[in-house]
Amino acid sequence: MESWLMDSRHIAIFANSLRLGGAERVALNLANGFANTGHNVDLVLVSEQGELLSEVDESVSVVDLGAERVLRSLAPLRGYLSTHRPDVVISIGAHVNLVSVWGRLTTMASPTLLLTEHSIMKRMPDERKASLMKVLARVFYPLSDCVVAVSQGVLDELRSEVGYRGNAEVVYNPIVSEQLLRDAEEPLEHPWFDSKTPVVLGAGRLAPEKDFPTLIRAFDRLTEKRDARLVITGAGPERDTLEQLVKSRGLEESVEFAGFVDNVYKYMSNADVFVLSSLNEGFGMVIAEALACGTPVVSTDCPSGPAEILADGKYGSLVPVGDADQLSTAIDNMLANPTPEVVTRERAAAFSVESVIENYERVIEEL
């Protein structure tokens, strides 16, 4: 598929690595998406490693800067920019953004530079790091041509908390790919998903910001009304604490921690409802992924992506953060009256790789 919005460009996508993660998946989908629309694409990595490398399209050139850390990639990035002279550089994530700005400042190359911002800085767990990142962003982000925020909430915070006053656009993450849809169709061999008892699914890093305790407490209340099971995929430091919470409530027979799974989409497509219980999100990619799998969604109305993705409740239920009672009620209601699959997939189309690539092309053409 060729682009009809702009002529072919030499585009560099600059990211840390291709380990499994949200930002890494975004880098992969952008690289493949631009390549599939006829652009000459380099996927420039601080370190060429990660499970997603196998999914890079054969038409994309992977450039390994061979650095151990992001900040140590400045010298090899300068070499890359001077030698390859891309027309456009799109950097993925705060630390990579800074190195991208410094790289362009210190070479004769002058590519159009887009910085993508994915997170809410004031909610970083390390307050000193958050304060430093705000200062650095305030000084260096305006030296780019445009900052692309993945949600309106992230852009609002850049304006209000960081004080960024430069050029900026909101472009959602490229999430729905042909690979995701193929993965969602893979068979899932799990007895819970073959029974008539509904399955509630949670997915994400088992960390405080995901607030899985509220999901478990909500599920406990749900089991007082109906038979159900809860599956949580993902790994992280909170697993032992969460398992103790499940045990203390006598839910061992109806809650499973599946750990890391290499294909979460087949879980999503077979679940009766997907639940996001987070305290905060930069975007909330898993919500869009679940919608693409045709799965009804219940989410906390946390900053700063779920309300945008679900259009203030049009495409799924939103409940207050940390409210187990309301979360339980919303899950129960969604199981009784699920959002039609045609509706969830309709909304997911806004986050397709093709749609997002078109939006990036518009931004680039307007610079």
Side-chain angles (χ1 to χ4, degrees):
M1 180 181 68
E2 294 186 0
S3 170
W4 55 270
L5 289 175
M6 70 180 193
D7 295 332
S8 177
R9 305 282 182 91
H10 182 187
I11 299 175
I13 308 297
F14 180 31
N16 190 356
S17 70
L18 284 188
R19 297 186 182 94
L20 287 171
E24 292 79 5
R25 175 66 68 179
V26 167
L28 172 70
N29 286 347
L30 284 177
N32 288 347
F34 277 115
N36 289 334
T37 50
H39 299 286
N40 177 17
V41 179
D42 293 339
L43 180 53
V44 183
L45 301 175
V46 173
S47 179
E48 185 182 350
Q49 56 182 304
E51 297 84 348
L52 297 178
L53 282 169
S54 62
E55 297 183 29
V56 177
D57 191 277
E58 61 182 10
S59 63
V60 174
S61 298
V62 178
V63 177
D64 181 14
L65 298 183
E68 295 179 359
R69 299 176 61 183
V70 174
L71 294 180
R72 293 180 180 176
S73 67
L74 177 57
L77 177 66
R78 293 176 66 244
Y80 164 79
L81 293 174
S82 297
T83 303
H84 292 77
R85 300 278 176 155
D87 301 311
V88 180
V89 173
I90 302 174
S91 63
I92 312 294
H95 294 88
V96 175
N97 288 342
L98 294 174
V99 172
S100 298
V101 172
W102 299 335
R104 190 173 72 161
L105 283 174
T106 56
T107 66
M108 297 298 291
S110 56
T112 299
L113 178 58
L114 279 67
L115 312 181
T116 65
E117 187 57 55
H118 295 248
S119 61
I120 304 174
M121 294 181 187
K122 70 180 179 182
R123 291 178 177 85
M124 288 181 175
D126 187 330
E127 292 185 5
R128 291 200 303 176
K129 180 180 178 181
S131 297
L132 176 60
M133 287 304 300
K134 288 180 187 179
V135 171
L136 292 173
R138 187 179 304 120
V139 172
F140 291 106
Y141 276 25
L143 300 179
S144 70
D145 294 292
C146 183
V147 171
V148 174
V150 300
S151 69
Q152 186 62 48
V154 168
L155 178 55
D156 290 345
E157 197 225 26
L158 274 174
R159 299 293 198 198
S160 63
E161 299 292 327
V162 176
Y164 177 74
R165 295 292 179 266
N167 189 28
E169 298 284 346
V170 174
V171 179
Y172 292 138
N173 281 327
I175 294 170
V176 185
S177 65
E178 292 182 2
Q179 183 64 51
L180 182 156
L181 298 177
R182 285 194 298 269
D183 289 344
E185 292 298 320
E186 286 191 4
L188 175 60
E189 297 180 0
H190 191 299
W192 285 8
F193 291 86
D194 292 331
S195 73
K196 294 182 180 180
T197 303
V199 177
V200 178
L201 179 67
R205 188 167 182 265
L206 306 185
E209 63 270 16
K210 301 301 181 182
D211 196 16
F212 283 115
T214 292
L215 173 55
I216 293 168
R217 287 191 289 269
F219 179 76
D220 188 15
R221 290 164 173 75
L222 179 69
T223 59
E224 297 173 359
K225 308 173 189 176
R226 64 161 71 229
D227 289 334
R229 292 182 172 123
L230 171 64
V231 175
I232 297 175
T233 68
E238 294 286 294
R239 176 157 181 164
D240 289 345
T241 301
L242 295 172
E243 287 179 337
Q244 286 299 316
L245 177 59
V246 167
K247 184 176 180 180
S248 71
R249 291 179 174 255
L251 297 172
E252 302 99 313
E253 299 301 316
S254 56
V255 177
E256 177 182 293
F257 292 94
F260 167 78
V261 296
D262 58 4
N263 179 5
V264 72
Y265 307 125
K266 63 182 179 181
Y267 282 80
M268 289 180 173
S269 63
N270 284 280
D272 293 279
V273 60
F274 178 82
V275 181
L276 182 85
S277 53
S278 295
L279 301 175
N280 60 80
E281 292 282 346
F283 179 65
M285 288 179 60
V286 288
I287 297 178
E289 290 169 340
L291 294 174
C293 292
T295 306
V297 171
V298 173
S299 174
T300 54
D301 189 11
C302 67
S304 58
E308 291 180 53
I309 297 172
L310 297 176
D312 295 320
K314 179 179 179 180
Y315 297 101
S317 297
L318 292 164
V319 301
V321 172
D323 192 324
D325 287 332
Q326 290 202 43
L327 185 60
S328 178
T329 299
I331 296 170
D332 189 34
N333 291 340
M334 188 62 77
L335 289 172
N337 297 287
T339 307
E341 183 176 332
V342 65
V343 174
T344 67
R345 293 187 186 276
E346 172 192 316
R347 179 54 175 161
F351 313 106
S352 70
V353 172
E354 294 79 8
S355 175
V356 172
I357 291 297
E358 287 183 6
N359 289 332
Y360 267 96
E361 288 182 329
R362 288 191 182 95
V363 171
I364 293 168
E365 280 288 88
E366 291 171 1
L367 294 176

